[in-house]
Amino acid sequence: MSRSRLAAADSGYFHLPGISAGSGLLVGSQGDIDLASDWGGGHVASADGMRFTVPVRSIHSRPNRKHPSTGRRATWLNVVSDRVMGLGGIVMPGTLRDSLGILDAMFNLDGPVRPEIVITDTGSYSDLIFGLFAICGYQFSPRIADISDARLWRFGLDKDYGPLQPVSRQRVQVERIRQNWEDMLRVAGSLQTGKVRAYDLLRMMTSGDRMTGLGDAFAHYGRIFKTLHLLQFIDSEAYRRMIGVQLNIGEGRHALGRRIFFGRLGELRHGYRDGMEDQLGALGMAMNAVVWWNTLYMDAAVKELEAGGLTISQEIRSRLSPLVHEHINFHGRYPIVRSHGDGALRALRDPNATEE
């Protein structure tokens, strides 16, 4: 390609909308591969943040109070589906709590499938977050580190809840929810249409340890769904396993991202948000390309083994991970040689063949 054509491609496509569109095509294409359905239906997602050092001056970075020697940082809060594909992400300054931006990330997804269950770690939840997720149509399912300190809420103190009676002593104030219900619906509509950011709403409804009347109504609304989540978390081993597996998927993608992000040694060298988003969007698309390629060829390998008479159960297929990257060359030259026709895959390596 000529220099002018490369420059035109760079200015015309190498920006966040173009990268997001390309990444969304990879997400949709992976959903058509049979093996991906063994990992999930795309309706479960997790959100977690990766921290990056920002060595240039920027209003979109903050110092780390716990580790001031590490310099100023920014957080890439990204969403990962149960099919191990990245669905998008947003840039947040410093090391703020992920809960302040999770909803904003959920409303800026690249993939065609909208998740129904959102999983996070312990530091990302509060009663207010539960309420906002619930009114926007999501099931919020954080992992609770110390569940013994969690509270269970009830509607009436005069009711008998059997064995849960001693641990459920707080009452949900339904009157406050009813009084603010119309405003709560307006908030949900504003979030869905992108008229306001969830980050700004959370800061507006909370001031230190105190909440506004609307924030208090959302908190009481969220306590209903937090109690349901806690009861399901205690009762269902499959539910707890789903949360743990999804969080491990997110950590695995972060490990792959650190291997791919070698050009700038894990640093964001853009002072403006647009440049940071372009750089991190390209990282997310590269990870999705790796996951898509691995899914495609792992599916072909499974089908070839089954055609040879080997039975591979659904349990075994569900434990295969498309995050393996020992076979990927992260450094040096990248020769692009097509040795097969359009629509065909390369011949799979025979593990029993001798190496030349």
Side-chain angles (χ1 to χ4, degrees):
M1 296 175 66
S2 64
R3 180 182 179 87
S4 60
R5 189 173 178 186
L6 286 171
D10 178 52
S11 62
Y13 299 101
F14 198 79
H15 46 67
L16 186 61
I19 293 171
S20 298
S23 188
L25 291 175
L26 289 172
V27 174
S29 179
Q30 193 229 21
D32 297 330
I33 302 174
D34 295 335
L35 183 61
S37 62
D38 292 310
W39 299 330
H43 299 288
V44 178
S46 58
D48 197 6
M50 287 185 70
R51 322 295 180 184
F52 294 90
T53 301
V54 184
V56 298
R57 296 181 61 182
S58 173
I59 62 174
H60 302 292
S61 63
R62 297 286 188 277
N64 190 344
R65 296 180 180 179
K66 294 184 178 180
H67 306 283
S69 60
T70 59
R72 299 173 69 87
R73 292 191 173 191
T75 297
W76 183 38
L77 183 61
N78 57 103
V79 182
V80 182
S81 76
D82 52 0
R83 291 179 172 176
V84 205
M85 294 293 278
L87 302 180
I90 61 172
V91 177
M92 299 177 61
T95 55
L96 296 173
R97 290 182 58 187
D98 294 344
S99 60
L100 296 176
I102 291 177
L103 261 178
D104 290 324
M106 295 304 300
F107 289 126
N108 291 275
L109 299 182
D110 302 334
V113 179
R114 178 179 181 266
E116 299 174 359
I117 301 175
V118 182
I119 296 173
T120 66
D121 58 13
T122 302
S124 301
Y125 88 93
S126 66
D127 297 343
L128 182 56
I129 298 296
F130 267 100
L132 285 172
F133 267 92
I135 204 167
C136 290
Y138 293 102
Q139 178 181 336
F140 188 49
S141 302
R143 179 169 58 185
I144 310 297
D146 191 358
I147 201 169
S148 61
D149 293 337
R151 294 181 177 182
L152 298 178
W153 296 74
R154 59 167 70 182
F155 284 108
L157 296 178
D158 57 339
K159 305 295 182 180
D160 185 9
Y161 288 83
L164 296 178
Q165 190 76 9
V167 295
S168 178
R169 299 181 179 276
Q170 290 80 26
R171 185 174 72 90
V172 175
Q173 302 290 338
V174 182
E175 305 83 27
R176 298 184 185 180
I177 301 174
R178 185 181 295 112
Q179 292 170 2
N180 293 274
W181 183 245
E182 290 188 3
D183 288 335
M184 293 168 65
L185 292 178
R186 293 189 183 96
V187 167
S190 299
L191 290 171
Q192 294 279 3
T193 57
K195 298 298 183 181
V196 66
R197 294 191 309 167
Y199 174 79
D200 296 326
L201 271 175
L202 288 168
R203 296 187 63 182
M204 178 194 71
M205 291 189 292
T206 58
S207 177
D209 296 332
R210 301 183 62 182
M211 285 190 293
T212 63
L214 182 59
D216 190 51
F218 268 114
H220 278 281
Y221 186 64
R223 285 161 186 159
I224 301 171
F225 299 93
K226 184 181 78 169
T227 301
L228 293 173
H229 165 66
L230 290 172
L231 293 175
Q232 188 176 7
F233 191 87
I234 295 170
D235 181 67
S236 175
E237 182 181 355
Y239 186 65
R240 295 194 298 271
R241 185 183 299 114
M242 178 194 71
I243 292 175
V245 168
Q246 185 60 35
L247 290 175
N248 289 337
I249 288 175
E251 292 297 329
R253 271 187 64 94
H254 287 178
L256 174 62
R258 295 185 186 98
R259 288 295 307 274
I260 294 177
F261 200 96
F262 64 85
R264 291 293 187 178
L265 303 177
E267 296 178 345
L268 296 177
R269 292 183 171 270
H270 293 274
Y272 295 97
R273 180 185 294 272
D274 290 346
M276 294 180 182
E277 290 177 341
D278 292 348
Q279 192 173 357
L280 294 174
L283 173 62
M285 184 174 176
M287 286 193 286
N288 278 353
V290 170
V291 172
W292 178 86
W293 195 93
N294 284 341
T295 305
L296 183 68
Y297 277 90
M298 289 170 66
D299 178 72
V302 167
K303 290 179 178 177
E304 184 167 313
L305 290 172
E306 290 179 336
L310 180 64
T311 301
I312 302 177
S313 65
Q314 193 275 338
E315 181 181 0
I316 294 177
R317 295 196 304 269
S318 65
R319 294 179 181 271
L320 298 175
S321 174
L323 293 173
V324 292
H325 52 266
E326 292 81 4
H327 57 293
I328 298 176
N329 175 27
F330 291 104
H331 303 276
R333 297 180 179 273
Y334 306 91
I336 309 299
V337 180
R338 180 176 290 277
S339 59
H340 50 287
D342 293 338
L345 300 183
R346 297 191 304 181
L348 300 177
R349 182 180 63 86
D350 185 358
N352 298 319
T354 57
E355 295 286 347
E356 295 183 1

